[in-house]
Amino acid sequence: MIQLYIGNKNYSSWSMRPWVLLRQAGIVFEEVRVRFDSFEAGSEFKRTVGAVSPTGKVPVLVDGELVVWDTLAIAEYLAETYPEKQLWPEDKAARARARSVCAEMHSGFTALRGACPMNIEASLPDTGALLWRDKAAVRADVQRLIEMWTGLLTQYGGPMLFGQFTIADAYFAPVCMRLTTYGLPVPPHIAAYVDRVRALPGVNAWIADALAEQDFRAFEEPYRLTR
């Protein structure tokens, strides 16, 4: 059985992407959760993940002797292994566009990711309001998301970015969590898409598990002392 190594569900946005993809697609897998203790070389997290991945980071997919340690590579491997799941859009042009927006998320939106780390349990609208006021780069990242999602929802008709659920929706699921946690302002049709993503069974299951963790990690929460 495929194994997926992940970190804390409340915080690990990179882990969320392939987990949601697997769960939403109905692909059976074994979850191996490795608790964030620290990211120092001698930490239990680094020792455990480093035993299976050369990068010592999550997520990591293990399928027999094969180890895949990048989220896009994991998504591509799953799409090739389970073609019947149609994880990418069927249309060639749509598929290319889906890969493009996933690659953009993979390497971009650094201001939003840096200023608004994923924290599903938290509600931080005051922090979000300050960031929105003071961080032009965060506003620019959100505007790019609005433009991207609006174009895709208009062209492909919704309810997901490319009509039906694809890798792209799994890829942007952590962004939906950030927009909710920090109360960042988006127009109603974008807020509705965020709600639809959060309601997906795979995403909803991840959220429920994240809320159940109750595992406050101070180094992941520089904006508050306790939960």
Side-chain angles (χ1 to χ4, degrees):
M1 182 187 296
I2 287 175
Q3 293 180 309
L4 184 69
Y5 285 73
I6 64 170
N8 285 47
K9 289 181 177 176
N10 192 54
Y11 304 116
S12 186
S13 59
W14 291 103
S15 298
M16 185 181 186
R17 294 181 174 98
W19 193 98
V20 164
L21 182 62
L22 285 159
R23 184 68 173 265
Q24 189 65 24
I27 299 170
V28 177
F29 69 101
E30 177 187 354
E31 173 192 311
V32 183
R33 179 181 173 275
V34 186
R35 180 177 182 258
F36 290 160
D37 55 348
S38 87
F39 300 130
E40 300 299 319
S43 67
E44 183 64 24
F45 174 84
K46 284 293 187 182
R47 289 197 301 270
T48 301
V49 179
V52 294
S53 167
T55 66
K57 299 177 180 179
V58 289
V60 184
L61 183 139
V62 179
D63 189 3
E65 296 183 358
L66 176 67
V67 178
V68 189
W69 61 85
D70 175 87
T71 52
L72 271 180
I74 291 170
E76 291 285 11
Y77 178 74
L78 294 173
E80 291 181 358
T81 304
Y82 301 95
E84 73 281 1
K85 300 294 185 179
Q86 295 184 327
L87 300 181
W88 289 117
E90 185 176 3
D91 175 74
K92 181 180 179 180
R95 192 162 61 248
R97 193 170 182 190
R99 285 189 168 109
S100 294
V101 299
C102 287
E104 183 177 351
M105 182 68 248
H106 196 273
S107 61
F109 299 98
T110 53
L112 178 62
R113 295 206 315 252
C116 303
M118 190 174 85
N119 189 332
I120 292 173
E121 178 274 337
S123 177
L124 303 168
D126 290 343
T127 300
L130 288 172
L131 291 169
W132 192 260
R133 184 192 69 185
D134 297 338
K135 302 287 188 181
V138 170
R139 297 195 300 271
D141 277 354
V142 173
Q143 183 59 34
R144 170 60 189 142
L145 284 169
I146 292 170
E147 293 170 357
M148 176 197 294
W149 290 357
T150 298
L152 294 173
L153 291 168
T154 299
Q155 181 172 353
Y156 297 102
M160 299 290 105
L161 294 178
F162 291 87
Q164 65 182 22
F165 173 84
T166 67
I167 291 167
D169 301 294
Y171 233 75
F172 284 103
V175 176
C176 295
M177 303 302 106
R178 288 178 163 100
L179 294 175
T180 300
T181 294
Y182 296 91
L184 301 180
V186 295
H189 70 284
I190 297 297
Y193 170 70
V194 169
D195 289 343
R196 292 195 297 273
V197 169
R198 290 174 60 90
L200 290 169
V203 175
N204 192 258
W206 178 277
I207 293 171
D209 289 349
L211 295 177
E213 280 179 343
Q214 295 295 304
D215 186 19
F216 179 78
R217 305 279 79 205
F219 61 89
E220 289 280 5
E221 302 205 26
Y223 31 74
R224 59 181 182 173
L225 295 174
T226 60
R227 175 173 295 172

